[in-house]
Amino acid sequence: MIQRKHSTALFLVSIVAQLYLSKADEREINNVMLIKIGGSSVTVKDQKETFNETVVKWFTETIADVVSPFYRMGDTHDCALHEKPAVVLVHGAGSFGHHTAKEFNLKGYPHDNSEFNSNTMEGLAKTRHSVQKLNQRIVAELLAVGVKAVGISPCFGGLRNLDLFEEQQSWLIDVLRETLRSGLVPVLHGDACLYGSSAAILSGDTLLQMCSPLAGQIVFLTDVDGVFQSDPKTNPTAQFIPNIAVDSQGNLVLSHVIQATESSHSHDVTGGLKTKLAAAIAIAASGRVVTIAKSGSLSAENVLRGEGGEDVRCTRIFRQD
Ligand SMILES: *[C@@H]1O[C@H](CO)[C@@H](O)[C@H](O)[C@H]1NC(C)=O
């Protein structure tokens, strides 16, 4: 898998880079939680450019509660207060972005981008503008609850063209590390990018995988409790899978039949649950625990607070050597 190769290389880059950090810097960024909230959680399905107000509030208030005070306004920089994690946030596009991407026939990276036509760049510009509105709103809500959040659009900065994915990936890691060290919470989003001479969508899940070398813990917040053996929305008796062990190659240790993790929108251009699970497995294969939990649930709050326990309903994906 193309992204796994990237993340191994990046992991090495991140180890080398970390050796150069001062001790104080290390304290801030050694405990990084990377959190992705799905577009289908944070927006209203099938209603173009509509926020799910309840979930936006829940998410931003929960982040304010779990993040290290170093990332909150008025921090006194007292070392004793810094046991809570630094966080890097990534959100999908949901009804922001996906409707426009579909209208203009933009595909999710790394799928074939050959259907370039005279409207492709119009689609790229409009899709990007749409998802940036969602990003602005999430950043505004985080600021309102005292979190020093900054929106970062991955494409058209150092990540200029997805054709050069590998070469440009370390740029993103550097930006995130510098941002965290400064006491700022990066808020990234799935984005519309140049891809060769055409355009493609960089999904929030692929982005999460790119950022994963920075993080000790990775959490996906979705619109279902975790991984089921079949789609729980169409099959109410679908069996829940709390643990998935993978080897270092990303093969499932016990071969579960997994058909669905999240309901996918009819307009989802980035592959929905399949890309999510593939990203989660590739990250877990690199030795990091990935947890999938439901947005807005008490279980998700426990996961984000680092509290485990029997009654926490979530799926954990981890490496078993
Ligand atoms: C917002 O999300 C919550 C939790 O998933 C869900 O119960 C609610 O129906 C959603 N609201 C809308 C307007 O879709």
Side-chain angles (χ1 to χ4, degrees), residues 41 43-45 47 51-55 223 294-296:
S41 294
T43 72
V44 177
K45 273 183 186 178
Q47 281 179 39
F51 304 102
N52 183 317
E53 301 289 344
T54 318
V55 174
D223 63 353
K294 183 174 181 168
S295 297

Side-chain angles (χ1 to χ4, degrees), residues 57-90:
K57 291 266 184 250
W58 172 82
F59 180 62
T60 52
E61 282 167 10
T62 305
I63 294 302
D65 187 37
V66 303
V67 74
S68 159
F70 184 54
Y71 298 93
R72 296 187 46 96
M73 296 168 195
D75 172 46
T76 55
H77 214 117
D78 177 347
C79 296
L81 292 173
H82 292 250
E83 281 149 29
K84 290 179 168 184
V87 295
V88 174
L89 307 179
V90 178

